[in-house]
Amino acid sequence: MSVETFTVTGMTCGHCVASVTSEVSKLDGVTKVDVDLASGSVTVESDSPVDPGAFALAVDEAGFAVVK
Ligand SMILES: [Cu+2]
């Protein structure tokens, strides 16, 4: 199992959190997504490490951006 934390910018409310959670949850092997709205940190649990490019695309799909 793999646990990684990314930082996502632009989220302002629970709806944003739900959008990001929904898109990131669709990624291959992802078993849990935990978003902290205040800090923008997104913790992803998955069977194998998440591809950062795929993660960035999913976040973009939700309307936000990953902080490098
Ligand atoms: Cu929102």
Side-chain angles (χ1 to χ4, degrees):
M1 203 189 79
S2 162
V3 179
E4 290 161 286
T5 301
F6 302 88
T7 303
V8 170
T9 183
M11 296 184 294
T12 55
C13 72
H15 180 259
C16 302
V17 170
S19 300
V20 168
T21 302
S22 162
E23 289 300 329
V24 173
S25 295
K26 291 179 191 166
L27 294 174
D28 264 3
V30 170
T31 50
K32 188 178 177 212
V33 180
D34 188 49
V35 178
D36 183 67
L37 179 59
S39 65
S41 75
V42 178
T43 304
V44 182
E45 284 185 23
S46 52
D47 297 331
S48 56
V50 170
D51 176 58
F55 178 82
L57 271 178
V59 168
D60 182 70
E61 195 67 34
F64 306 99
V66 179
V67 178
K68 301 275 186 216

